[in-house]
Amino acid sequence: MSPKSLSMPTRRELLAATAAAGAISMLGGTGSAEASGETIAPFSVNFPEEALDDLRRRVAATRWPDKETVTDDSQGVRCETIQKLANHWARDYDWRKTEARLNALPQFVTEIDGLDIHFIHVRSKQENALPIIVTHGWPGSIIEQLKIIEPLTDPTAHGGGEADAFHVVIPSLPGYGFSGKPTAPGWNPPRIARAWVTLMQRLGYTRFVAQGGDWGNAVTELMALQEPPGLLAIHTNMAATVPADIAKALAAGGPAPAGLSPDEKHAWDQLDDFYKNGLGYAIEMNNRPQTLYGIVDSPVGLAAWMLDHDIRSYQMIARVFDGKPEGLTKDDILDNVSLYWLTNTAISSARLYWDNAHFPSGGFFDPRGIKIPVAVSAFPDEIYAAPKSWAEKAYPKLIHYNRLDKGGHFAAWEQPMAMTAELRTAFRSLRQ
């Protein structure tokens, strides 16, 4: 059987069955599904056991390459690391725990702009909670944000006060996880941004904030650029702040410009290393995502492709499989990779890079001219830690900036309480 034939009923089948049964549900808005004329259907996850057996069989049957010829990470994901991951995946990992965790949350699916969008929606018990839409990136998923849901929606149980509460919406990007897979080009960040606004409006939220990193930052910043009614402010943990002269010098591969502050020079060094050594995955997905058949056929191939995103994330994950967890566990990492595998979204998610390249919305780290309030959290092991001086120029209405001591690209996943604290502080002045 193919992975698709082993997965759950299609989103279209789920919507049709739910609507026919009259079980339309819209938990968490001031309106109703019938009033809006748009269907919001409950969603749950239940992969057949054959799909999990097939996954374990494929992992166990991996054809391994020769070991790398160097003693460092310069040739990519090291054989020892990925074999440790594979051994845990085949022998000890239990997807059903993650499935149960997901199904314990309110999940829904709704059609926007012709595509089924899956999302988690957890309302706080505090009625005056601030609605927030949080967007993941690649190689992330909704798994990234699961650890921040309870601290945001139930702050009094997690070191905060009632006034810190959020209603939380976490959608799966188009082509990712349980959202629909686009069948035509054009689902680029501006289009996703418009869809997210529609989602928040459909849920009845007239005032809300948005947060994102990686592709989630691009989508969130473009929401801000579109300035829809109701969007009060945004928060980013991977800000787009690189000045034009810095971007030009990086593209040319030249030395750092003179006169940079220590923080700016550090950001330059991080970006320079990433552009020279870390962009291989993005170049391939920008140009030829459909060629990546190997990561659809091999779970271990998929895992290695996803691990090799940026060097500091990879090194942190390698330490986890060496028995030194710091923020993430072995199961955390395999939860995310398994989600990609079981939903057969390796290539459909990669196409977001192609869509962005062919329907461009600006450079990934280029300032976009956002006029609404912006909050920035700079984690030290991100692709680059945005200096405050760059953030102040990029965001004229910078309402919060903090440079943290720990955390990397998957900030909410690695350091959930730090991210929670950042969001509470960032948006506190906007609450009424």
Side-chain angles (χ1 to χ4, degrees):
M1 289 184 172
S2 69
K4 183 175 181 180
S5 67
L6 290 172
S7 65
M8 68 201 60
T10 66
R11 301 148 187 87
R12 184 68 53 205
E13 290 167 345
L14 176 64
L15 281 170
T18 306
I24 304 304
S25 175
M26 180 179 158
L27 304 176
T30 56
S32 69
E34 286 113 3
S36 69
E38 303 290 349
T39 299
I40 298 176
F43 184 90
S44 62
V45 184
N46 183 22
F47 286 100
E49 193 62 32
E50 302 97 287
L52 305 182
D53 290 341
D54 179 67
L55 169 58
R56 286 186 286 266
R57 177 189 65 77
R58 287 171 181 263
V59 172
T62 300
R63 182 183 182 188
W64 295 103
D66 296 333
K67 182 182 177 181
E68 62 276 0
T69 60
V70 294
T71 57
D72 57 23
D73 306 311
S74 60
Q75 292 182 352
V77 176
R78 300 181 72 174
C79 200
E80 181 182 10
T81 297
I82 201 67
Q83 286 179 336
K84 289 177 180 177
L85 179 150
N87 287 337
H88 185 71
W89 210 356
R91 299 174 184 177
D92 302 316
Y93 175 72
D94 184 0
W95 164 260
R96 294 300 186 198
K97 292 180 180 179
T98 301
E99 202 169 74
R101 188 180 178 196
L102 288 170
N103 288 334
L105 297 167
Q107 298 178 81
F108 304 90
V109 64
T110 189
E111 182 182 313
I112 300 176
D113 195 8
L115 194 71
D116 293 332
I117 299 298
H118 164 266
F119 61 100
I120 295 169
H121 183 198
V122 183
R123 281 184 60 87
S124 173
K125 294 179 181 179
Q126 304 298 327
E127 286 303 314
N128 291 328
L130 180 64
I132 184 171
I133 183 166
V134 184
T135 309
H136 66 82
W138 187 95
S141 67
I142 56 170
I143 298 293
E144 277 187 72
Q145 283 85 28
L146 294 183
K147 296 176 185 177
I148 63 173
I149 293 174
E150 285 192 12
L152 291 177
T153 57
D154 188 11
T156 58
H158 298 273
E162 292 182 359
D164 294 318
F166 291 86
H167 301 311
V168 177
V169 178
I170 305 172
S172 297
L173 288 167
Y176 288 67
F178 306 114
S179 280
K181 301 174 184 178
T183 57
W187 273 96
N188 64 348
R191 187 173 179 181
I192 299 170
R194 291 191 292 271
W196 277 195
V197 172
T198 298
L199 175 60
M200 295 302 278
Q201 293 171 342
R202 191 169 295 178
L203 293 173
Y205 292 129
T206 57
R207 299 175 69 255
F208 62 96
V209 295
Q211 195 284 328
D214 195 86
W215 281 118
N217 174 68
V219 170
T220 299
E221 290 206 7
L222 285 157
M223 289 174 69
L225 199 62
Q226 293 166 5
E227 298 186 47
L231 180 58
L232 304 177
I234 67 169
H235 173 274
T236 174
N237 56 287
M238 198 182 82
T241 68
V242 179
D245 61 325
I246 299 294
K248 184 177 179 180
L250 285 165
L260 298 181
S261 70
D263 282 351
E264 293 169 345
K265 179 59 167 57
H266 180 63
W268 165 277
D269 291 340
Q270 289 179 310
L271 286 164
D272 188 49
D273 179 60
F274 181 68
Y275 286 147
K276 289 177 178 176
N277 302 309
L279 273 176
Y281 74 92
I283 293 169
E284 181 65 17
M285 293 194 289
N286 272 345
N287 296 334
R288 311 285 285 181
Q290 196 65 30
T291 299
L292 296 170
Y293 295 98
I295 64 174
V296 176
D297 190 58
S298 167
V300 168
L302 174 63
W305 186 257
M306 293 171 66
L307 261 59
D308 203 13
H309 173 266
D310 69 275
I311 189 60
R312 285 177 291 279
S313 292
Y314 162 68
Q315 289 172 341
M316 181 266 293
I317 291 170
R319 290 193 294 272
V320 170
F321 283 97
D322 282 338
K324 305 170 186 176
E326 44 181 286
L328 300 183
T329 67
K330 296 176 184 179
D331 284 356
D332 283 335
I333 295 155
L334 288 173
D335 288 343
N336 190 48
V337 182
S338 297
L339 179 63
Y340 274 75
W341 176 262
L342 293 167
T343 56
N344 192 17
T345 49
I347 284 180
S348 59
S349 62
R351 290 196 194 109
L352 178 53
Y353 287 79
W354 190 94
D355 276 319
N356 187 64
H358 288 76
F359 302 88
S361 56
F364 212 80
F365 295 125
D366 295 343
R368 295 181 170 92
I370 295 170
K371 298 178 182 177
I372 72 169
V374 179
V376 174
S377 298
F379 287 84
D381 290 328
E382 181 53 271
I383 290 175
Y384 88 104
K388 187 175 183 181
S389 57
W390 292 1
E392 289 172 335
K393 294 175 183 176
Y395 308 119
K397 293 185 178 179
L398 186 67
I399 57 172
H400 171 76
Y401 175 91
N402 188 30
R403 192 178 184 94
L404 290 98
D405 295 329
K406 191 173 183 62
H409 185 70
F410 305 101
W413 199 20
E414 300 170 39
Q415 303 295 330
M417 292 314 298
M419 177 63 87
T420 297
E422 286 295 286
L423 293 176
R424 290 173 181 171
T425 302
F427 296 128
R428 191 162 286 149
S429 64
L430 303 174
R431 296 176 182 270
Q432 291 184 351

